[in-house]
Amino acid sequence: MTIDTETELYKIDDKLYPCSTSITMDFVGGKWKMVILYYLRNGKKRYNELRKLMPMVTERTLSLQLKQLEEDGLINRVVFTTKPPLKVEYSLTKFGETLVPLLHAVADWGRNLATERAEVVKIKMK
């Protein structure tokens, strides 16, 4: 006896997803993507500005996450080559801006948890 079942999946750009949550996590999952998007929600930032805002992320990880966010259409990368030194700015695309309410909700949840459980520590920046 065999039981035939049919499963509905979402397909975006040749990727299959079992549910809408998995779609969202594919775009913003990982330790740093949401943080990057959160810092870009209020406007353009240069690479070094993002590094200073996120001192715990490695340069390689930040570069990879920025590249993935750009490939997914969530951020713009603009390179200015008119005069040295090379200047690169990142900003949210219109598509990326659709995540702002989610970014605020996640930040609010974290802020509430921090109020209840976190200890504030200060670190010296180089």
Side-chain angles (χ1 to χ4, degrees), residues 19-32:
C19 66
S20 57
T21 302
S22 64
I23 295 170
T24 304
M25 293 309 296
D26 189 40
F27 280 86
V28 299
K31 188 171 181 179
W32 298 107

Side-chain angles (χ1 to χ4, degrees), residues 77-82 86-89:
R77 178 179 184 266
V78 179
V79 180
F80 298 91
T81 58
T82 53
L86 184 73
K87 180 179 171 183
V88 180
E89 285 184 343

